[in-house]
Amino acid sequence: MDWSPFEKNVKASGNSRRERELNKARHYLNKYGENNPSYKKVKINGIDDVLAINTGTQPYYKKFHTLPDHQINAGDYVEWANAIWLVKTADFDDELIIDGALQQCNYVLKWQDEDLNIIERHVVTQGATAYNTGLLDKELLTIGYNQLLVLIPFDDDTKKLGRNKRFFLSNTINDMRPYKITSFDTTTNIYNGHGYISMMLSEDQLQKDDNVELQICNYNEKADDEITEDTRSEINYKSTKIKSGYKKGTTFTANFYNGENLVNNISPRWELKCNFRDELKIVEDGNKITISVDNDELINQHLSLILSDTEGNYTADEILLEVVGLF
């Protein structure tokens, strides 16, 4: 008897009994898992996904596991239950599923990078000294001496932080407290480039350049060197005629200049002035706009096309257009 067809069918689900059992479990979980009430709709780093979350654990600490073949790493953000959660652990044994633990973030840390861009990260903060009066007597001056442990995802921005970097950590405007990094651990909770940094922060004194309103310590205003007084919009076109009945329409291109230099990646703002706006078909595509019309009664009518930028940094350009016949 030829057993090859039977062996072929058996091996279709895996080459070994273990592999077949894993594939069977994987198929079952993928097919029925999302209907299980334990699986919650979440976003992982902003992307829709699902996780089985044990809601019976502590209020701000949750255990989870994924569906088969779904990826999650320590240091990722999970959006769920109107909150942001930090992935504290994610098991590398992902043969079937990944399980791990979440902790709810309770603060948004703000600072400026070396280019003076404002960076924000959701973080976990917790008291680092169980027995702490919060005050340190130093000669005749009494200063705050609270310490906080802050957990922040490891990424291209946060790995540039270091000792003595200062932040505000407070939910009360009238008592905004600056803290500075006194300990910075970038190894303990990071594996294969994923994880989170543990920072010990000690209470510091307010400095003159601390911006309480923006909640950024040592704030520096970012100079906009790219924008000068000689900035303008310019509409580029081959014709100012809109042919009635011409389905392709007439296309106009938005250009923006700083002096004689063409500036890219500026979002155009188009405006049309006429009393037959509803008769026009308008298609915007990037920095281009195409206008068409199909109504011969509008022949010889005029309209204005105005170009500016969405941020209001460039002077506007305006041209007069005319509706003409197709032939």
Side-chain angles (χ1 to χ4, degrees), residues 37 55-56 95 104 145 159 161 169 198 204 217 234 286-287 325-326:
T55 56
E95 188 173 30
Q104 187 174 343
Y145 193 64
K159 69 183 181 182
L161 298 174
L169 281 100
S198 299
D204 196 28
C217 290
E234 186 176 294
N287 68 330
L326 184 58

Side-chain angles (χ1 to χ4, degrees), residues 5-22:
F6 174 77
E7 291 178 353
K8 184 177 181 180
N9 288 334
V10 170
K11 290 185 176 181
S13 298
N15 292 320
S16 66
R17 181 175 180 178
R18 174 181 173 77
E19 188 175 348
R20 288 192 292 272
E21 291 298 324
L22 283 171

Side-chain angles (χ1 to χ4, degrees), residues 227-241:
I227 302 299
T228 67
E229 294 182 359
D230 185 18
T231 54
R232 68 186 188 282
S233 308
E234 186 176 294
I235 303 172
N236 185 266
Y237 55 89
K238 292 183 178 179
S239 173
T240 59
K241 310 295 183 183

Side-chain angles (χ1 to χ4, degrees), residues 139-269:
E139 297 178 353
L140 298 179
L141 179 67
T142 300
I143 62 174
Y145 193 64
N146 285 324
Q147 288 185 308
L148 293 174
L149 177 65
V150 176
L151 310 181
I152 189 169
F154 176 75
D155 60 36
D156 287 340
D157 290 316
T158 60
K159 69 183 181 182
K160 296 176 183 177
L161 298 174
R163 290 178 183 271
N164 296 320
K165 183 69 176 178
R166 301 170 67 253
F167 311 92
F168 278 117
L169 281 100
S170 177
N171 288 313
T172 57
I173 298 297
N174 294 330
D175 188 24
M176 291 298 294
R177 299 183 182 183
Y179 287 76
K180 68 178 179 180
I181 299 175
T182 54
S183 177
F184 193 69
D185 183 355
T186 60
T187 58
T188 303
N189 299 296
I190 298 171
Y191 300 89
N192 296 333
H194 299 282
Y196 58 90
I197 297 169
S198 299
M199 305 188 298
M200 188 73 73
L201 274 66
S202 298
E203 189 174 344
D204 196 28
Q205 293 178 289
L206 199 65
Q207 297 182 6
K208 290 183 179 180
D209 58 351
D210 291 342
N211 191 316
V212 176
E213 183 178 357
L214 294 178
Q215 298 183 26
I216 297 176
C217 290
N218 305 118
Y219 177 75
N220 287 290
E221 191 74 34
K222 185 177 181 180
D224 199 346
D225 297 329
E226 296 182 358
I227 302 299
T228 67
E229 294 182 359
D230 185 18
T231 54
R232 68 186 188 282
S233 308
E234 186 176 294
I235 303 172
N236 185 266
Y237 55 89
K238 292 183 178 179
S239 173
T240 59
K241 310 295 183 183
I242 309 295
K243 294 182 180 181
S244 176
Y246 185 55
K247 294 183 179 180
K248 290 186 177 181
T250 304
T251 299
F252 304 88
T253 302
N255 290 322
F256 298 93
Y257 290 90
N258 184 5
E260 297 301 318
N261 299 317
L262 181 65
V263 182
N264 297 315
N265 301 319
I266 304 298
S267 299
R269 180 179 181 273

